[in-house]
Amino acid sequence: MKHLIWSILNLTILFCFFYLIIGFIIKGKRVFKPTFKVFSICILVIGIIQILSASNSEKNTNIIKITEDYDNKNNTEFKKVILEDNLTLDIEMLVKYSINNIEYVPIESHSSLTGFVSGYVWEFESIYTESYIKGQKATYTANGVLKWNLFGFTIYNESKTISGIMN
């Protein structure tokens, strides 16, 4: 529920920004009501700064190479795990395995947020998993940071360490 409230707060501020931009173009300074003038100008300035700085931000791919030395001729298989299941967003992880006879060797892993993710950024930092034999289960430990953003600025970093078993 807290994730939904945070996302709605982010969308509300975004709609306020667009209202102020369009209102300023159409009405001029009259769009700034005297009671909310300072708040409105802050939202407008921060929004413009975010738009200008958005092109300079680097994107995190959330892909981690686990093993570099594997045979490219082997078949590969993906295992999907939901690391965290919330009301509005999920943190998912895919692990790519190279199949060497009956042994599954982890090659790389990718993690992402899915669902209603307004105001959140997931940074996948590390994964620990081992090879396993077909028919057995693999254990994993994944680490990352869920960043709570408000209008593009990180307000809170929530470290997450998630362990489990892949079927």
Side-chain angles (χ1 to χ4, degrees), residues 77-115:
E77 185 175 317
F78 289 93
K79 299 284 185 180
K80 179 180 174 181
V81 177
I82 296 178
L83 298 175
E84 189 171 300
D85 186 11
N86 294 307
L87 179 66
T88 58
L89 64 92
D90 297 333
I91 301 174
E92 295 182 347
M93 178 178 70
L94 284 173
V95 181
K96 182 178 179 183
Y97 286 95
S98 173
I99 304 170
N100 184 10
N101 293 330
I102 59 170
E103 183 180 27
Y104 285 65
V105 179
I107 301 171
E108 68 182 25
S109 182
H110 177 266
S111 184
S112 62
L113 285 176
T114 60

Side-chain angles (χ1 to χ4, degrees), residues 23-122:
F24 186 71
I25 292 170
I26 294 171
K27 294 182 181 179
K29 290 192 288 186
R30 290 177 291 152
V31 77
F32 301 115
K33 307 255 188 271
T35 54
F36 301 112
K37 191 173 188 174
V38 174
F39 178 72
S40 298
I41 291 172
C42 286
I43 287 181
L44 196 61
V45 169
I46 291 171
I48 291 170
I49 290 170
Q50 285 301 317
I51 289 172
L52 294 175
S53 68
S55 63
N56 295 337
S57 64
E58 62 182 56
K59 301 296 180 191
N60 186 358
T61 60
N62 286 340
I63 297 175
I64 296 175
K65 298 272 187 199
I66 299 171
T67 305
E68 295 287 338
D69 55 341
Y70 69 94
D71 190 0
N72 289 338
K73 296 176 182 152
N74 289 345
N75 290 331
T76 58
E77 185 175 317
F78 289 93
K79 299 284 185 180
K80 179 180 174 181
V81 177
I82 296 178
L83 298 175
E84 189 171 300
D85 186 11
N86 294 307
L87 179 66
T88 58
L89 64 92
D90 297 333
I91 301 174
E92 295 182 347
M93 178 178 70
L94 284 173
V95 181
K96 182 178 179 183
Y97 286 95
S98 173
I99 304 170
N100 184 10
N101 293 330
I102 59 170
E103 183 180 27
Y104 285 65
V105 179
I107 301 171
E108 68 182 25
S109 182
H110 177 266
S111 184
S112 62
L113 285 176
T114 60
F116 186 45
V117 296
S118 176
Y120 296 99
V121 175
W122 172 247

Side-chain angles (χ1 to χ4, degrees), residues 13-21 43-44 47-48 51 151:
I13 292 174
L14 182 66
F15 287 134
C16 286
F17 171 72
F18 284 124
Y19 168 78
L20 291 171
I21 287 286
I43 287 181
L44 196 61
I48 291 170
I51 289 172
F151 212 48

